[in-house]
Structures are given as C-alpha cells and as structure tokens.
Amino acid sequence: MTKKLFIKTYGCQMNVYDSARMAELLAPIGYEVVETAEGADLAILNTCHIRERAAEKVFSDIGRLREHQEQKVRSGGRMLLAVAGCVAQAEGEEIRRRARNVDIIVGPQSYHRLPELIARASRTAGVALDTTFPADSKFDHLPGERTAAGPTAFLTVQEGCDKFCTFCVVPYTRGAEHSRPVAEILTEASRLAESGVREITVLGQNVNAYHGSDETGGTLSLGALLRCLAEIPGVARLRYTTSHPLDMHDELIAAHREVPAVMPFLHLPVQSGSDRILAAMNRRHDVDTYRRVVDRLRRARPDVALSSDFIVGYPGETRADFTATLDLVREIGFAQAFSFKFSPRPGTPAAALGDPVAEPEKLARLYELQELLNSQQREFNRAMVGRRLPVLLEAPGRHPGQLVGRSPYLQAVHLDAPRDKIGTVVEAVIVAEAPNSLVGRLADTAGRAAAA
Ligand code: SAH
Ligand code: SF4
Ligand code: F3S
C-alpha cells in the first residue's frame, strides 16, 4: 500500500540533499513522493532559519497545510505534518506552541529517525520531537542506495560549522563541524555514477574545511577527496560549495589546476569589502586575504569564475564601509553573486547589536550592490557569445527539440539536440545571451555536423 509523501524544501543545497535522503529513507516503508500537498499522507517542510523571512514563511506554510489536513480527515484519512531542517532545530518548542497541527519536529542531524517518529505520531496525538545531535552519524542509518533524479547530484561530505560568524545561525542549527569518512563518500558517489550521474556537487556548510578519515587512519583534505572522486568511472564534473576563504588550502587550489573534472567556478563568499566589518562579523580574514586567495586561484586556473555572498547593512556599516564593498566587487569581478540585507537572528551574537542601519538605507545599498553585480553577470555572460563551451545536458528545454544544460561556469545553456544526448557533455558554440542563461548550438566535432 503506497502512501503519498509531499516534501517542500527551503534554503540551501544541503537541505535539497537532505530532502532527497528523506525520500529515499521513507520509500521502503511505502512512501512515494508527490508534487502537491493535496491528499498527502505525510507532508514534510524542510526548513531554513538563515534569515527572518525564510523562517517566517514556514509558519505561514504550516497554517496553509492545515486546510489540506482537514480535507484529508473529511475523506477518512490523516495527513501527518513534519517540520524538519533548521527552523525545527532552532525553534522546535516555538513550533510546538504556535502550531498545533504539527505532528513531528525533527532536526537536520536526526532525520534518520523519521520512520520511528512517524510511527509514534501515527499512534498518538501530540508532537513527536527529535532535535538532538545524536552521537552516531545519521549517514550510518540512511539507505546505501541513491536514486538519481538526473545527470547531476548533490553529495554532502561535511556538515556543521565551527566558524561562528556573528550573524549566522548555522553553527547552532547544524552543530559542530563534522566530515564524513572518505570510503563512505566514495561508495555513495560510485552509486550515483552507476545510476547515471555525471556531475557531483560536493556539499558542506564549510566544505573546504573537509578533513575526512581514510582507511589508513589518516585524513584527506577536500583537494585530495576531489582527486579520488574524479577517478570514479562516469564522473565527468565536480563542484563544491560552500567554501570559506580561510580554508582554501594549497591542495585544493592544486586540484583546480590539475584535475580536469573540477569545474573552473567557485562560490567563495566574502560578505563585505570592509576590514572593519569583516572583523566585526568575526569572519577571521581581511580583504587582502580574500584578494590573495583569488590571486592564487587565478594563477592555478586562469579561467576560473567567481561567485560570492554579500551582506549589506550589518550593524555599524557606514557608507564608507559599503563603498569598500563596491570597490572590492569592481576589483574582483564576479560571474554571479547573492546579496542580502542583514537580518538579526535570535541567539547569534550580532542580534545583540540590534538592527541600527535604517531599512531604507539598507534597501538602497542592496539595490546599488545588486545593480553592480547584475551588470557584472551580464558582462560575463556576454563574453561567452562566440565561444565554444562544454555543456552537460541535463533535461528537456521549454521548446520541443530543445535541451537545457550547464556550462562549466554553471550558466544554463539552451540548445537544440536529440533527447538521447541528456547526460552527455557536448561542445556548444554560444550564439546569444540573456541575463540568466545562454543560447548555444551544437558545435561541429571533427569537422562534421554533430547535430545530425
Ligand atoms: N557557509 C557559508 C554561508 C552559509 S549561509 C559561508 O561561510 O559563507 C549563506 C549566506 O547567507 C551567507 O554567506 C550570508 O551572506 C547570508 N547570511 C547568513 N546569515 C545572514 C543574516 N543573519 N542576515 C543576512 N544574510 C545572512
Ligand atoms: Fe555561517 Fe560563517 Fe559558518 Fe558560513 S562560515 S556557515 S557564514 S558561521
Ligand atoms: Fe538555511 Fe540551514 Fe541551509 S539555515 S541555509 S537550511 S544550513
């Protein structure tokens, strides 16, 4: 008897990975993923606590799901509602108090216990809650099999964070830094490759701090791990995210130079271009350190493109600090970036500073920064026109005959190609650009038309 499972995922790629693992965990006990909450037997909200808006959305979604739960009762069934992820971890008690229709609250380190929590919630009324950081790794309890949804996949190799940036909830919601053992990762990656995955994005809140144990009793850095992953038959491309500037070790930089599978694109958040603000944020590095990391990378891999995260309006950020951020953006040049207004988060050191930069000022800074970043992104995309790029084809495009894939720089590329090319890397000539994507055509290979 199959049961319907609806999962809504908020936040970062690690949550996307966790949602996929929850679905795999629940499949053997009869749950099949469906696209809408209507009629579901179990709805999971896999939540994000990073900014206030993200967390508040969860409470409104919980409210909306109540109607579906009532409908389900009218048709003689029951829809269990589970809140997972970082809001569950940080605000478990608050959810229990505010949202009576929630049956299960489970943190990011204990979701392997979902089958047990579901059983408990089905038997009784009241909330089944587990927001512990169990000593045994959840990975030991998740199924060995991975079901790939397409030619690209995420693979979490590191979790948690010990950096404690003053604004950030991650060290509290995900706990202390922990690296998965090398063998476990290689097994998971091999299974993914066997099921058709060509590109693996290795994930961690602080992925380049990775130091997993290997079978000799030693530890491997992320650079060394990427080399091992590149050896797996079928793995054509490797990416990793998110990195901290302080953990860009030589071995990792060398992997960019020497391992062709490592894509020349790096998300390397800097947050601010002001030394004063970086210090206040406890980022543990200054602007010049960031600059030097970028230099080392570019020397190793001259075509590397960069992406970043920025926070504007951090408490005490002056116009001069903000201008320093704009200057740094102009100096480095980003292919793409995310920028956010500072959001005070409960329990973080920065929350004690209030939110002194006035909202209109924060908004004005955000717009100014985004305008600059967007123009750089546009410029970067424009420079691709006329170039030949390898594109990993991932899925059917919007128009008949069209497929969509990704360039090495993570740009979406639309081109006409036969469907059986999905999952292969093709050479494409870029013929046009749009703000968020490129248009290409299959390049002639070895002097003959590849489109035939
Ligand atoms: N581990 C990553 C980032 C994780 S959170 C790193 O070290 O950079 C993703 C991004 O959200 C951060 O880079 C930051 O730009 C933003 N962010 C985190 N906390 C925030 C807050 N309180 N207000 C606004 N933006 C925030
Ligand atoms: Fe948060 Fe800083 Fe850790 Fe990134 S490095 S997860 S911003 S505390
Ligand atoms: Fe959000 Fe948690 Fe990821 S707070 S960004 S889902 S680690």
Side-chain angles (χ1 to χ4, degrees):
M1 193 186 67
T2 65
K3 285 169 273 184
K4 291 182 188 157
L5 166 63
F6 171 73
I7 309 183
K8 179 167 176 182
T9 308
Y10 314 64
C12 64
Q13 288 107 323
M14 305 205 48
N15 263 12
V16 176
Y17 174 85
D18 289 340
S19 291
R21 299 310 314 261
M22 287 187 232
E24 287 163 1
L25 174 72
L26 298 177
I29 55 168
Y31 285 94
E32 196 178 80
V33 173
V34 293
E35 295 304 313
T36 61
E38 206 180 327
D41 298 282
L42 171 64
I44 301 176
L45 301 178
N46 193 13
T47 62
C48 174
H49 201 241
I50 203 81
R51 283 167 293 274
E52 190 180 352
R53 193 123 53 99
E56 272 311 308
K57 221 164 33 194
V58 173
F59 283 98
S60 59
D61 281 347
I62 291 173
R64 250 195 304 275
L65 281 170
R66 183 190 295 276
E67 284 164 39
H68 291 300
Q69 288 176 300
E70 285 164 0
Q71 182 69 37
K72 186 83 180 175
V73 169
R74 281 196 292 276
S75 62
R78 182 172 175 204
M79 177 195 292
L80 291 176
L81 173 53
V83 179
C86 292
V87 178
Q89 189 63 45
E91 298 188 24
E93 284 307 323
E94 168 96 358
I95 296 168
R96 194 209 285 271
R97 211 165 35 76
R98 263 175 75 178
R100 295 288 166 168
N101 57 326
V102 172
D103 303 288
I104 296 166
I105 299 170
V106 64
Q109 302 310 344
S110 36
Y111 66 74
H112 56 288
R113 294 182 178 160
L114 263 173
E116 186 187 319
L117 294 169
I118 292 169
R120 203 162 11 129
S122 313
R123 276 196 308 270
T124 53
V127 184
L129 179 138
D130 191 342
T131 51
T132 56
F133 290 110
D136 52 336
S137 165
K138 71 185 171 210
F139 295 107
D140 298 341
H141 304 273
L142 295 173
E145 293 309 312
R146 295 291 324 265
T147 35
T152 64
F154 292 133
L155 202 178
T156 293
V157 302
Q158 179 277 332
E159 283 203 280
C161 183
D162 294 342
K163 292 277 193 297
F164 290 93
C165 302
T166 54
F167 51 82
C168 183
V169 295
V170 170
Y172 313 99
T173 63
R174 295 270 173 170
E177 208 184 284
H178 165 78
S179 297
R180 293 178 70 190
V182 174
E184 190 180 302
I185 293 165
L186 296 181
T187 303
E188 189 172 329
S190 301
R191 298 235 163 95
L192 286 170
E194 282 156 20
S195 70
V197 168
R198 300 283 82 99
E199 174 181 302
I200 296 177
T201 303
V202 163
L203 299 179
Q205 266 90 22
N206 223 315
V207 73
N208 56 347
Y210 177 82
H211 56 281
S213 50
D214 68 7
E215 263 142 13
T216 68
T219 59
L220 290 197
S221 71
L222 182 64
L225 179 71
L226 290 173
R227 277 179 206 272
C228 298
L229 288 167
E231 300 289 312
I232 295 174
V235 172
R237 289 180 162 193
L238 292 168
R239 303 180 187 277
Y240 58 96
T241 200
T242 295
S243 296
H244 192 285
L246 272 190
D247 295 317
M248 288 306 297
H249 304 300
D250 288 340
E251 260 185 320
L252 183 53
I253 305 245
H256 274 278
R257 183 172 52 235
E258 293 156 17
V259 184
V262 175
M263 289 293 102
F265 179 83
L266 181 63
H267 183 60
L268 192 63
V270 64
Q271 315 297 354
S272 168
S274 155
D275 283 341
R276 217 175 58 81
I277 295 299
L278 288 176
M281 287 174 164
N282 191 34
R283 287 291 289 179
R284 305 160 190 237
H285 67 82
D286 56 11
V287 174
D288 205 49
T289 306
Y290 188 81
R291 209 175 261 135
R292 283 202 305 272
V293 169
V294 171
D295 275 353
R296 281 160 63 217
L297 254 169
R298 284 181 169 159
R299 261 182 280 131
R301 187 76 211 225
D303 63 336
V304 75
L306 290 160
S307 155
S308 191
D309 291 341
F310 296 90
I311 295 177
V312 301
Y314 185 81
E317 186 189 70
T318 62
R319 183 73 213 174
D321 294 315
F322 175 65
T323 305
T325 299
L326 295 176
D327 290 344
L328 182 68
V329 171
R330 285 191 199 97
E331 180 191 328
I332 302 282
F334 292 97
Q336 189 246 311
F338 302 98
S339 43
F340 312 99
K341 286 184 293 177
F342 169 70
S343 171
R345 305 304 293 128
T348 62
L353 308 171
D355 194 6
V357 180
E359 181 63 25
E361 180 58 29
K362 276 211 265 189
L363 203 58
R365 289 180 195 176
L366 186 69
Y367 284 154
E368 198 173 340
L369 176 60
Q370 289 185 342
E371 204 173 317
L372 176 60
L373 290 167
N374 288 343
S375 74
Q376 290 193 341
Q377 179 173 1
R378 197 76 202 248
E379 194 53 44
F380 182 76
N381 286 351
R382 217 172 273 145
M384 297 293 141
V385 177
R387 280 185 58 182
R388 200 178 155 123
L389 295 177
V391 174
L392 171 60
L393 295 171
E394 289 177 14
R398 219 171 301 144
H399 309 297
Q402 194 188 51
L403 300 183
V404 60
R406 298 261 171 198
S407 78
Y409 310 110
L410 219 50
Q411 296 146 302
V413 182
H414 300 269
L415 50 77
D416 288 341
R419 247 189 122 102
D420 63 3
K421 291 275 183 203
I422 290 176
T424 66
V425 178
V426 298
E427 288 289 315
V429 174
I430 304 306
V431 294
E433 53 89 30
N436 293 310
S437 63
L438 302 173
V439 182
R441 65 171 168 72
L442 285 180
D444 289 352
T445 44
R448 62 194 168 78

